[in-house]
């Protein structure tokens, strides 16, 4: 019936011009042609209004709209598929065409599609049970997608009727989806579903298509979705790179501010040295000064014989308080320690070393530390002990033993809570299968 509209316009144009006897004959021929194209069953003529009413109602109950129309699906469950016309005329597009029951019923009566049925009292309509909805399986969805076309370039104020009119002579279109933003405003693009792949292909091959002088972008929906997914992936990569760069910049600014504050520090450095225990660690220093001064940084590694402490406030005050709390004998792990307040060049040199430590730590945080030779949680990876049998029983040594070899020792049975490693290896569960993309095993 789309052709019918265009032919009507040609006839109207002919009437508005001066007619000759021959043109009158041609016009009569056109009128006969219009009558034939307007026939929609039972040999009865369908008016333009009736045709629009049929198209609109058959769209409501059609394969594209009904499966996703929550309200209408609820209505058809109430009375064996029947929906009162009183409900139907509340649908906006139908109410703009007509709210007269008799006009709507007469239009549907003339339809030859066989999609709709009319109740005996002519107050209700339903989709014919002989034309059930297709199964929404992957095959059906793929078929719809293969004959769907993406068109972009319409003005944002374009209406559905505007677009339907533009598509009139472009091929048989089953459905038009106007793409909208989250705020429900038109995006200027549509998805049009043609009746066949051939019709869709023919439409996409029309060169230089325009809508009111505006050039249009036309792609198969599948091609558009593939292109859009690639753009989204690229956007995510770029967004991730930007976020990483911003994070690194913030870390650098924070580090620069911290270093600047360190450069202004004076009288906050305390050096310690001596024959320290090999197990001496930073925690020992925190324990000693925890109630006497806040420590900001410790330059020290386990096993070293000296180190430097950076206090938030004056180091001298923290040292005096700590010594007083320990009766003047401030030790680390029962070892004597020499405590020295740094000043002048020695303080500047030590402060420089602290700044270098912080810069190195910042680099490690930025790049991410990689723990080698260890599994999750710092534990040795599963299977790392294979080939090494370790006995967990207790070794009993007798008083008359002098050197002792394998025959001189006796091993008690292992504790039930600690089975020998070789048993654990035998009972080690099989590794989990890696999941494939569809969730199954390899």
């Amino acid at each position: 019936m789309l052709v019918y509209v265009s032919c009507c316009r040609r006839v109207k144009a002919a009437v508005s011009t001066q007619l000759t006897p021959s043109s009158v004959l041609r016009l009569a021929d056109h009128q006969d042609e219009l009558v034939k194209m307007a026939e929609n069953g039972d040999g009865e003529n369908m008016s333009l209004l009736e045709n629009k009413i049929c198209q609109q109602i058959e769209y409501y109950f059609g394969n594209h709209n009904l499966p996703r129309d929550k309200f209408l699906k609820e209505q058809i469950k109430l009375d064996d598929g029947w929906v009162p016309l009183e409900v139907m005329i509340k649908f906006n597009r139908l109410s703009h065409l007509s709210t007269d029951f008799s006009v709507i019923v007469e239009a549907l009566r003339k339809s030859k599609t066989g999609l709709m049925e009319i109740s005996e009292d002519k107050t209700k309509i339903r989709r014919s049970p002989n034309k059930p909805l297709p199964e929404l399986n992957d095959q059906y969805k793929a078929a719809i997608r293969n004959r769907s076309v993406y068109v972009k370039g319409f003005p944002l104020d374009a209406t559905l009727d505007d677009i339907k009119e533009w598509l009139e002579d472009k091929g048989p279109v089953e459905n038009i989806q106007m793409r909208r933003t989250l705020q429900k405003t038109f995006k200027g693009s549509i998805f049009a579903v043609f009746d066949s792949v051939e019709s869709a292909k023919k439409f996409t091959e029309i060169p230089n298509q325009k809508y009111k002088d505006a050039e249009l972008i036309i792609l198969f929906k599948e091609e558009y979705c593939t292109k859009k997914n690639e753009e989204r992936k690229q956007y995510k990569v770029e967004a991730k790179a930007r976020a990483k760069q911003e994070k690194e910049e913030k870390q650098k600014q924070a580090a620069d501010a911290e270093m600047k504050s360190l450069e202004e520090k004076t009288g906050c450095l305390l050096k310690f040295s001596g024959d320290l225990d090999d197990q001496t660690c930073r925690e020992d220093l925190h324990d000693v000064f925890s109630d006497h001064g806040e420590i900001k940084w410790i330059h020290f590694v386990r096993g070293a014989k000296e180190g430097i402490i950076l206090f938030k406030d004056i180091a001298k005050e923290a040292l005096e308080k700590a010594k007083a709390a320990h009766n003047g004998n401030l030790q680390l792990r029962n070892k004597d320690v020499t405590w020295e307040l740094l000043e002048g060049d020695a303080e500047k040199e030590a402060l420089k070393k602290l700044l270098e430590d912080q810069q190195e730590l910042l680099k490690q945080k930025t790049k991410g530390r990689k723990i080698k030779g260890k599994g999750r949680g710092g534990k040795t990876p599963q299977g790392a002990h294979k080939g090494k049998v370790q006995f967990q029983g207790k070794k009993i040594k007798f008083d008359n033993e002098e050197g002792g070899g394998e025959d001189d020792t006796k091993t008690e049975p292992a504790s039930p809570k600690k089975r020998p490693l070789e048993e654990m290896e035998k009972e080690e569960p099989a590794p989990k299968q890696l999941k494939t993309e569809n969730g199954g095993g390899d």
Side-chain angles (χ1 to χ4, degrees):
M1 299 309 298
L2 298 178
V3 179
Y4 173 78
V5 178
S6 60
C7 289
C8 282
R9 287 175 181 160
R10 290 199 298 270
V11 173
K12 185 177 180 181
V15 172
S16 64
T17 59
Q18 186 175 3
L19 298 178
T20 63
S22 59
S23 63
V24 171
L25 291 175
R26 287 198 301 271
L27 177 58
D29 292 338
H30 276 304
Q31 289 173 328
D32 291 338
E33 181 184 359
L34 290 176
V35 171
K36 290 180 181 178
M37 286 188 292
E39 288 179 354
N40 199 19
D42 298 331
E44 296 183 72
N45 299 335
M46 180 177 281
S47 68
L48 183 59
L49 175 60
E50 290 173 333
N51 183 56
K52 286 186 176 182
I53 290 172
C54 282
Q55 285 183 349
Q56 192 59 50
I57 291 178
E58 289 173 356
Y59 168 77
Y60 289 146
F61 288 87
N63 296 344
H64 295 282
N65 181 73
L66 187 55
R68 54 191 177 87
D69 192 322
K70 184 177 178 181
F71 174 77
L72 194 53
K73 284 196 296 184
E74 291 175 352
Q75 290 295 316
I76 63 178
K77 292 178 182 177
L78 301 178
D79 185 16
D80 195 25
W82 294 105
V83 180
L85 288 176
E86 189 66 40
V87 173
M88 293 304 305
I89 61 173
K90 294 178 182 178
F91 285 60
N92 287 335
R93 293 186 65 82
L94 179 60
S95 65
H96 289 160
L97 295 173
S98 178
T99 57
D100 189 326
F101 288 8
S102 61
V103 173
I104 295 173
V105 169
E106 183 65 14
L108 291 176
R109 188 183 66 79
K110 293 180 181 180
S111 174
K112 68 176 183 179
T113 63
L115 182 66
M116 302 303 299
E117 290 185 353
I118 305 168
S119 66
E120 291 184 2
D121 61 1
K122 298 181 181 181
T123 61
K124 296 182 289 188
I125 60 174
R126 71 175 179 180
R127 178 171 173 140
S128 173
N130 297 326
K131 291 182 177 291
L133 283 170
E135 183 180 354
L136 297 179
N137 52 29
D138 292 340
Q139 184 178 359
Y140 175 77
K141 293 177 182 178
I144 295 294
R145 186 168 58 249
N146 290 339
R147 49 192 173 95
S148 298
V149 176
Y150 168 79
V151 186
K152 179 182 179 181
F154 297 103
L156 301 184
D157 59 353
T159 65
L160 179 59
D161 289 328
D162 294 335
I163 295 171
K164 286 175 68 176
E165 183 179 353
W166 180 79
L167 283 169
E168 280 180 354
D169 58 348
K170 303 296 191 299
V173 176
E174 291 183 352
N175 185 57
I176 300 171
Q177 178 189 348
M178 297 181 70
R179 304 180 68 244
R180 300 183 183 277
T181 65
L182 294 176
Q183 292 73 35
K184 305 299 183 182
T185 57
F186 181 43
K187 298 173 69 172
S189 60
I190 65 167
F191 287 128
V193 183
F194 286 79
D195 68 335
S196 66
V197 175
E198 291 73 21
S199 298
K201 185 177 180 182
K202 185 177 179 181
F203 171 72
T204 60
E205 291 175 348
I206 300 175
N208 304 321
Q209 296 202 60
K210 295 182 178 182
Y211 179 85
K212 296 181 179 179
D213 297 329
E215 293 186 359
L216 299 175
I217 298 174
I218 299 176
L219 302 168
F220 269 101
K221 184 176 181 179
E222 187 72 20
E223 182 183 356
Y224 163 77
C225 291
T226 300
K227 183 178 179 181
K228 199 67 178 178
N229 286 337
E230 292 174 354
E231 291 177 357
R232 285 171 180 161
K233 287 179 182 178
Q234 182 62 29
Y235 175 81
K236 287 182 179 179
V237 170
E238 293 174 355
K240 188 176 180 180
R242 286 194 302 270
K244 183 180 178 181
Q245 184 177 359
E246 290 173 0
K247 182 179 179 181
E248 291 177 355
E249 184 63 28
K250 288 181 180 178
Q251 289 178 338
K252 185 177 182 301
Q253 291 175 357
D256 290 343
E258 181 70 15
M259 290 175 186
K260 185 176 180 181
S261 67
L262 286 177
E263 290 173 354
E264 299 171 353
K265 291 282 184 182
T266 55
C268 299
L269 294 180
L270 177 65
K271 181 179 179 180
F272 59 94
S273 59
D275 185 19
L276 304 179
D277 188 287
D278 290 341
Q279 297 302 314
T280 301
C281 58
R282 294 183 178 90
E283 285 73 15
D284 297 328
L285 294 162
H286 281 288
D287 290 341
V288 169
F289 291 99
S290 60
D291 298 329
H292 314 299
E294 182 179 343
I295 295 176
K296 292 198 67 176
W297 190 270
I298 299 175
H299 176 67
F300 178 73
V301 292
R302 188 176 301 218
K305 300 302 179 182
E306 64 177 27
I308 299 174
I309 305 173
L310 171 64
F311 287 92
K312 181 179 179 181
D313 298 312
I314 304 301
K316 183 178 180 180
E317 294 178 2
L319 179 60
E320 291 176 350
K321 290 179 181 179
K323 282 185 175 181
H326 292 81
N327 299 321
N329 186 20
L330 194 58
Q331 295 181 323
L332 291 175
R333 288 185 179 258
N334 298 320
K335 293 281 187 176
D336 291 333
V337 180
T338 300
W339 304 94
E340 178 185 356
L341 295 169
L342 296 182
E343 298 176 343
D345 292 340
E347 183 181 27
K348 291 180 180 179
E349 188 64 29
L351 194 57
K352 180 181 177 182
K353 183 63 179 175
L354 290 178
L355 293 174
E356 292 173 354
D357 284 355
Q358 286 208 345
Q359 286 178 334
E360 183 62 27
L361 181 63
L362 178 61
K363 289 179 182 179
Q364 290 177 351
K365 285 182 177 180
T366 303
K367 295 179 180 178
R369 293 183 178 181
K370 294 182 179 179
I371 302 176
K372 297 182 179 180
K374 300 229 175 171
R376 185 180 298 176
K379 298 180 181 179
T380 305
Q382 188 176 4
H385 291 299
K386 288 186 177 180
K388 296 182 181 180
V389 179
Q390 298 179 354
F391 294 93
Q392 297 180 352
K394 298 178 181 178
K395 180 178 178 181
I396 301 176
K397 188 171 183 179
F398 296 94
D399 293 337
N400 60 354
E401 286 182 358
E402 294 179 359
E406 290 184 358
D407 295 336
D408 296 325
T409 61
K410 179 181 179 182
T411 304
E412 290 183 346
S415 168
K417 295 182 180 179
K418 296 183 178 180
R419 292 180 296 167
L421 188 59
E422 62 270 27
E423 290 184 21
M424 295 174 65
E425 291 175 352
K426 290 178 183 178
E427 299 177 10
E428 184 178 289
K432 293 182 180 179
Q433 282 188 320
L434 294 174
K435 289 186 177 181
T436 59
E437 289 183 355
N438 59 7
D442 288 338

